[in-house]
Amino acid sequence: MQSERPGGDQVDQKIAGRAIKEWITEFPILKKIMAKQEMLWLNPEYGKSVSDRVTARDVADAEDRLRRFAPYIEKAFPETGALHGLIESPLYETPKLKKFLEQATGVAVPGRLMMKADNELPISGSIKARGGIYEVLKTAEQLAVSHNLLKFSDDYSVLADDAFKKFFSQYSIAVGSTGNLGLSIGIIGAKLGFRTTVHMSRDAQQWKKDLLREKGAEVCEYDADYSVAVAEGRRLAAQDARCHFIDDENSKDLFVGYATAGNRLKEQFNEQSIPVDADHPLFVYLPCGVGGGPGGATFGLKQAFGENVHPFFVEPMHAPCFLLGLLTGLHDQISVQDFGLDNQTVADGLAVPKPSAFVGKAAGHLIAGCLTVNDERLFQFLKGLVDTENMSVEPSAVAGLIGPKMLLGTEEGLDFLSARQLQDKLPAAAHLFWATGGGMVPEKIRAAYYEKAARI
Ligand SMILES: *Cc1c(COP(=O)(O)O)cnc(C)c1O
């Protein structure tokens, strides 16, 4: 990915041995992406190939593990008491927001608009409370079981005892993060007694660093982007046999932790008597950084709802790394900078230059398409959500709200619908935007987001 000559401009750059011009000839949509336009890309592999990198069994195993840990979680985090130690978020129908969205985007949305409120997930207030916490729990279980301190049949609330904290304090956990993954891992890691280090990129918000230090995690700051923070964390962790590195760019455990969301969401649709079937399709819009959260959730959704769910990934216009990786088939071998994009976005949870190596291969064929959204719109949506439903999230978490406009108001979206004979079913459809985080944003920062949105 070196420039042909020092200081050479974009056209001279080679990506995987080919000039940008050649890539554009093969994939003309790159012009739109590089021109930073909001766009929808339909995935030609959707529903075609299969991958056995992750199986239904892996997800069932994760569901069982989370059930084993529920008594511990309930004891260590009393706020999870209502669900007896399951870390889960509400599902809402948001009709007032739907009206706002129709006005703001000029596109009518037949059917329902739903919100999966992961900003309300207990413990760390973001989707990372699924995958991130899961991988730490799995690590703790493996250590305790292999040292004959714990059996699968035990009541795991014993893990809250000081003896276990002392045991885990001989081990450490490390992770690279733009913020929310670090928060999840820092909080659960410290609670269990692990020494926890979070390597944070330049985009990470100060309050997230402060909060982590307050919780007892060590924070290493980098004046570099996310990929660099991850690589450095990975390198340092490899030197310590007692350190487990949670590798956001390549972790199957994170992925299956996220995937447990699928069956739980299906239960919530059932409880609310909202059908999802051949006559009631479900469109899901997931904000995407490296792809682990949305990829895992997509895997779970496809298991739960099969052909009746259509997952779309949403990325900032300046950081569409997952889209570029899937489109070119190069996955983690590209970065947004290769295509002249700067990875600068207010959606700090999505400010990622390179996608996961694992997710595109394990779940690429399950993703209906990828779309991009501009930062100004994120502020507009954030304010709209406060004004209509009185719910406050972080900018990354509203990215999915661009989904209905792109599906229902673009040529590509209409092509997608007509190719699957979905147009007649739209009045019975549900559009779900996954509100991925914001539960821990301090009041002052919330107010600042809102003020900024009001000015735009
Ligand atoms: C991490 C994150 C995402 C995306 O998850 P990835 O696994 O990085 O794709 C989306 N929204 C928020 C708020 C996040 O913190």
Side-chain angles (χ1 to χ4, degrees):
M1 283 161 243
Q2 286 292 305
S3 177
E4 288 289 82
R5 60 190 157 83
D9 58 21
Q10 261 175 38
V11 244
D12 292 332
Q13 291 220 346
K14 293 249 179 185
I15 301 158
R18 293 162 73 188
I20 290 230
K21 268 188 284 189
E22 295 170 62
W23 284 109
I24 293 176
T25 309
E26 184 171 354
F27 303 110
I29 200 164
L30 278 169
K31 265 195 229 158
K32 261 196 192 175
I33 300 171
M34 293 172 71
K36 298 191 266 295
Q37 292 171 13
E38 287 183 333
M39 45 79 64
L40 163 60
W41 170 73
L42 298 176
N43 178 9
E45 296 302 314
Y46 181 47
K48 282 192 186 151
S49 49
V50 284
S51 157
D52 55 6
R53 278 164 213 262
V54 183
T55 64
R57 224 198 130 135
D58 294 326
V59 181
D61 180 51
E63 288 169 344
D64 288 345
R65 182 164 291 107
L66 289 171
R67 273 191 285 271
R68 289 199 289 279
F69 269 97
Y72 165 74
I73 295 289
E74 185 172 5
K75 187 162 180 192
F77 302 95
E79 71 266 33
T80 62
L83 292 176
H84 302 292
L86 282 194
I87 303 164
E88 196 42 75
S89 71
L91 169 70
Y92 299 122
E93 186 167 1
T94 50
K96 287 183 246 162
L97 180 67
K98 185 174 115 162
K99 284 214 185 80
F100 161 84
L101 194 63
E102 292 180 314
Q103 272 165 8
T105 64
V107 175
V109 185
R112 304 169 194 264
L113 182 68
M114 315 279 301
M115 167 173 173
K116 182 61 177 156
D118 273 10
N119 57 304
E120 293 186 38
L121 276 178
I123 303 179
S124 65
S126 83
I127 188 169
K128 307 300 193 308
R130 301 182 185 277
I133 289 179
Y134 173 74
E135 185 162 341
V136 175
L137 296 178
K138 184 173 175 189
T139 306
E141 184 182 60
Q142 274 171 342
L143 283 169
V145 169
S146 66
H147 286 79
N148 295 319
L149 300 171
L150 184 74
K151 292 194 298 294
F152 283 2
S153 54
D154 286 348
D155 176 342
Y156 278 25
S157 61
V158 294
L159 290 166
D161 293 353
D162 282 343
F164 272 103
K165 280 194 190 156
K166 210 170 149 206
F167 169 68
F168 290 128
S169 72
Q170 308 166 72
Y171 299 91
S172 59
I173 289 192
V175 66
S177 177
T178 62
N180 285 338
L181 184 61
L183 273 183
S184 294
I185 283 163
I187 292 170
I188 185 71
K191 192 66 133 186
L192 280 159
F194 287 106
R195 286 179 292 123
T196 310
T197 307
V198 182
H199 301 270
M200 281 187 140
S201 61
R202 175 169 57 208
D203 318 277
Q205 303 243 343
Q206 188 60 44
W207 68 264
K208 291 183 182 173
K209 298 177 192 169
D210 296 342
L211 183 61
L212 266 172
R213 290 193 170 112
E214 198 186 302
K215 298 276 180 188
E218 190 187 331
V219 176
C220 298
E221 300 180 57
Y222 295 86
D223 187 24
D225 71 23
Y226 180 66
S227 299
V228 175
V230 172
E232 193 55 15
R234 189 189 289 126
R235 188 183 71 77
L236 291 170
Q239 298 168 358
D240 178 357
R242 291 188 163 220
C243 179
H244 177 76
F245 183 66
I246 295 188
D247 198 333
D248 195 22
E249 292 182 334
N250 214 346
S251 168
K252 183 169 166 179
D253 287 332
L254 282 176
F255 186 92
V256 296
Y258 292 121
T260 59
N263 282 326
R264 298 204 191 155
L265 186 68
K266 187 174 182 176
E267 255 172 59
Q268 290 181 317
F269 270 92
N270 283 340
E271 278 161 18
Q272 298 185 24
S273 304
I274 300 174
V276 178
D277 55 35
D279 294 320
H280 301 80
L282 172 63
F283 303 97
V284 181
Y285 309 102
L286 296 135
C288 174
V290 292
T298 288
F299 190 89
L301 287 167
K302 278 290 177 187
Q303 284 201 305
F305 299 110
E307 290 183 348
N308 304 319
V309 68
H310 301 286
F312 291 87
F313 284 17
V314 188
E315 293 177 288
M317 243 164 31
H318 286 245
C321 66
F322 198 89
L323 162 56
L324 288 170
L326 210 54
L327 170 74
T328 58
L330 294 173
H331 302 293
D332 60 323
Q333 300 305 304
I334 53 99
S335 82
V336 298
Q337 285 95 351
D338 292 338
F339 291 91
L341 299 169
D342 61 11
N343 192 35
Q344 297 299 308
T345 170
V346 64
D348 49 306
L350 315 179
V352 173
K354 271 170 51 175
S356 157
F358 175 75
V359 177
K361 294 171 197 163
H365 59 291
L366 305 176
I367 302 162
C370 297
L371 35 125
T372 59
V373 61
N374 79 44
D375 276 19
E376 277 194 12
R377 227 193 260 280
L378 295 181
F379 280 110
Q380 184 190 22
F381 291 159
L382 189 136
K383 180 172 182 295
L385 185 59
V386 176
D387 293 346
T388 57
E389 308 281 350
N390 195 23
M391 284 190 277
S392 175
V393 302
E394 63 184 274
S396 303
V398 287
L401 278 171
I402 191 70
K405 172 189 158 67
M406 300 308 268
L407 187 66
L408 302 164
T410 65
E411 214 176 290
E412 292 82 4
L414 297 175
D415 283 349
F416 178 88
L417 295 170
S418 63
R420 285 172 180 72
Q421 278 117 38
L422 289 169
Q423 256 146 337
D424 295 345
K425 299 174 183 169
L426 290 175
H431 299 265
L432 182 145
F433 78 103
W434 209 292
T436 41
M440 299 192 89
V441 179
E443 196 46 53
K444 247 170 96 177
I445 311 260
R446 272 179 217 276
Y449 283 146
Y450 188 87
E451 263 167 48
K452 178 152 188 202
R455 280 200 309 272
I456 289 177

